[in-house]
Amino acid sequence: MSATLTFLLYDFFVLSKAVEVLKAERIGHGYLTLKDPPFYKQLLEQDMHFETCPWSSYLTGACNPDFTKHPVVKFREDKANYSLNTDDPLILKSSLDMDYKIAQEYMGFTEEEFMRVNINAARSAFLPEKEKKDLLNQLYERYGMIESAVF
């Protein structure tokens, strides 16, 4: 069974136990992990996938409202396994394009970083292995990459 944990909670103990006990492969809004560097380092070593939604986190107050200080910036610097996503598009009147524009304008994302987060998303997708491999191959082909040249 695969699991994603979504945490806007401010209870670090619950988050750490949920990762340990439930063996989650992804954490939605995992910004809280940055408050505990040893735990965050452990998650990096586990290749934990962080689903990030900059616009949603701005609207909900989950992060500093200054996008240049958003946890995505740290995930990017650390080459974490994370992806850019949109959250509740009908309720928040958001789109993936909006989150990408925020990342480009305020976080300095380049085309290479967008490719990397898309590949991260595909690598961490809850798909059967053959479908995941096909998806990754489509991305590598589209990006003019060979698998061994992945970030």
Side-chain angles (χ1 to χ4, degrees):
M1 178 178 95
S2 299
T4 296
L5 302 173
T6 300
F7 278 92
L8 292 174
L9 299 176
Y10 295 94
D11 186 334
F12 180 77
F13 178 78
V14 172
L15 173 58
S16 62
K17 286 299 173 192
V19 169
E20 179 184 325
V21 174
L22 297 176
K23 308 294 185 210
E25 298 170 14
R26 300 166 66 121
I27 300 177
H29 307 282
Y31 314 130
L32 179 62
T33 62
L34 295 174
K35 294 188 184 279
D36 185 317
F39 182 61
Y40 174 63
K41 184 177 182 210
Q42 172 193 329
L43 295 175
L44 290 176
E45 290 168 359
Q46 285 177 227
D47 201 31
M48 179 63 69
H49 184 79
F50 298 97
E51 301 167 350
T52 67
C53 309
W55 182 242
S56 170
S57 60
Y58 171 79
L59 292 176
T60 62
C63 299
N64 186 320
D66 179 350
F67 287 121
T68 66
K69 294 180 171 83
H70 194 280
V72 166
V73 174
K74 176 78 171 144
F75 293 159
R76 178 181 174 209
E77 289 170 0
D78 294 343
K79 299 279 190 218
N81 177 8
Y82 74 99
S83 57
L84 288 173
N85 306 276
T86 194
D87 197 11
D88 295 321
L90 293 176
I91 294 169
L92 301 177
K93 298 188 183 340
S94 64
S95 66
L96 188 56
D97 187 53
M98 179 183 290
D99 284 287
Y100 274 47
K101 284 180 181 174
I102 289 167
Q104 184 176 32
E105 186 173 334
Y106 298 100
M107 300 173 191
F109 271 49
T110 62
E111 186 174 331
E112 182 177 284
E113 188 64 14
F114 285 119
M115 290 188 294
R116 191 172 90 74
V117 298
N118 289 334
I119 289 168
N120 285 343
R123 281 190 318 113
S124 301
F126 295 137
L127 289 173
E129 283 306 311
K130 182 178 180 343
E131 289 179 44
K132 188 183 297 191
K133 185 174 175 77
D134 290 345
L135 176 59
L136 283 165
N137 285 335
Q138 287 176 25
L139 286 173
Y140 296 144
E141 184 178 325
R142 175 79 173 148
Y143 296 153
M145 302 168 69
I146 56 172
E147 189 171 350
S148 63
V150 176
F151 310 93

